[in-house]
Amino acid sequence: MITFSRAALAASLAPALLLMAPLAPTGAIAGETPSPDGARVYIVNIKNGDTITGPVTIVFGLDGMGVAPAGIEVENTGHHHLLINYELTDEDMEFGIPATDNSVHFGGGQTQTTMDLPTGTHTLQLVLGDFAHIPHDPPVMSDPITVTVK
């Protein structure tokens, strides 16, 4: 059996820990990644009350911030989440938006999607999440819109 002293183990791990340090969050606490004044997100090509047919392309608009993929922490950036018939909870706001059929993540930095929505009435809303899928402070989210799919 090979054994290492604590000092030898610490010395052998130190270079790896130094390489990993830039990957660690820089003090952002759940729900506390700031957003700049006036930042807004919106759906570009569909308006409240529209009747649409599928498949539908939804284009995401963003002013006052940039887009960065999930896991990449850059000041004044985030990535899109599309809420479909879903309202954010206090837990979502503090710990992150879940990835479900009703809260779709675009963690690759996508700025549009094409999807089939079932026939009927749906509420759509965009929310920008930080590197950890947590809404910014203050949250950057569109007004919800209601659409009818034929």
Side-chain angles (χ1 to χ4, degrees), residues 47-79:
K47 304 297 180 224
N48 190 43
D50 281 357
T51 298
I52 57 179
T53 58
V56 60
T57 296
I58 304 169
V59 179
F60 313 148
L62 178 63
D63 290 330
M65 293 183 75
V67 175
I72 306 297
E73 186 177 8
V74 177
E75 186 176 353
N76 295 328
T77 67
H79 63 279

Side-chain angles (χ1 to χ4, degrees), residues 134-149:
I134 300 169
H136 294 78
D137 182 23
V140 179
M141 59 180 65
S142 69
D143 290 332
I145 63 170
T146 301
V147 299
T148 302
V149 178

